[in-house]
Amino acid sequence: MTESVLSHVRLEDGVLRIAVATAERGTSLSPAGMAQGIEALRTAGPEVGAVLLVGEGANFCAGGDVRAFASAPDRGEFVGDVARLFHDFVRALDAARVPVVAAVQGWAAGAGMSIVLHADIALGGPSTKLRPAYPSIGFTPDGGMSWTLPRIVGVARAREIILTDCVLNADEAVRLGVLSRLVADDEVPGEAMRVARTLANGPTAAYAGIRQLLADSAGRSLSEQLDAEAAAIAAAANGPTGIEGVDAFVEKRRPDFESIGRG
C-alpha cells in the first residue's frame, strides 16, 4: 500500500483506516474508497492488526449517490456496477482475518447502514442515526443488509425495519445490537481509533480464530461447533500468541503480543 496514492486508505499503528465516504461527495458511498479499500484489504499483510471504517464528513455514509443514479444513461446498468463494486468491498471486508471497527458518526443510511452491519464493533454517538433508505427511492437493499440484519435483530424485526424504512436512533441501535455502544458525538472518531489500536496490538491470531468460529457457527450444529472450538483452541495453545498469553498469566505479567508479531 502506498499512502500517497491511496488517499482513502491509511495505515497507522497497525490499523488499516478506510474512508468509505467523503465530504466532497456529500458523504455518499465513495467508489474510490471502495476500490482502494478492496486493494488494501486483499493485499494486507501482518502489519495490519485491525480495520477501522470511517466517513470523512458530517456523516459516516449517507448511502449511494442518488444524483449519479439519476443522471446515468442506463440506470440499471450503472446501479448494478456500483453494487458489484460495493459487494467486492463487502467480500474483502468479510474475508479479513482481523477485527473490523466502525466509527459511526451522524447518519449511516442505505449502503452506510449495510457497512455498519459488517463491523465487529460499531461505535456511535447520541446523534447517530441509521436507516435502510432503499424503499424511499424504490430500491431493494444491497451490501448484504438482507442477510446481516436478520441475523442481528431477528427476521421479524428486520422485515419491519427494512419495509417501513425505519429510522433507528442511537439508543435503539444499541438495544438491537446494531451499534456496540455510544460515546459523546465528538469522541466517536478518537474512541474508535483507540479500540482499533488496542485490537491491533492484541492476539491477532486468536481474533482471527474467533471471527472464523462466529462466522461458521450459523451453519453448524452445536456438536459440530464444539469440535471446531476444540480444534481451534488446541491450535491457539501451540501458537505464538497462545504461548505468550499463558506464560504471561503464569508469570503474573501483562502479555506482550505486539513484540511477537501479529502472526
Side-chain angles (χ1 to χ4, degrees), residues 29 32 128 231 247:
L29 186 70
T128 297
D247 288 351

Side-chain angles (χ1 to χ4, degrees), residues 40 46 67 125 128 135 195 207 212 219 255 259:
R67 289 183 176 83
T128 297
V195 170
Y207 293 153
Q212 193 64 55
S259 68

Side-chain angles (χ1 to χ4, degrees), residues 164-190:
T164 65
D165 202 6
C166 177
V167 175
L168 300 178
N169 64 32
D171 289 334
E172 179 73 353
V174 171
R175 189 184 70 79
L176 290 171
V178 175
L179 293 178
S180 304
R181 60 184 171 90
L182 303 181
V183 297
D185 287 325
D186 61 355
E187 294 177 6
V188 172

Side-chain angles (χ1 to χ4, degrees), residues 104 106-109 112-113 116-117 128-132 166-170 173 178-179:
V104 192
W107 280 93
M113 180 171 170
V116 171
L117 295 170
T128 297
K129 292 182 174 63
L130 301 99
R131 178 184 180 185
C166 177
V167 175
L168 300 178
N169 64 32
V178 175
L179 293 178

Side-chain angles (χ1 to χ4, degrees), residues 213-233:
L213 284 167
L214 291 170
D216 293 342
S217 65
R220 288 177 175 152
S221 66
L222 172 59
S223 181
E224 290 169 335
Q225 189 71 1
L226 290 171
D227 288 341
E229 286 185 348
I233 198 170

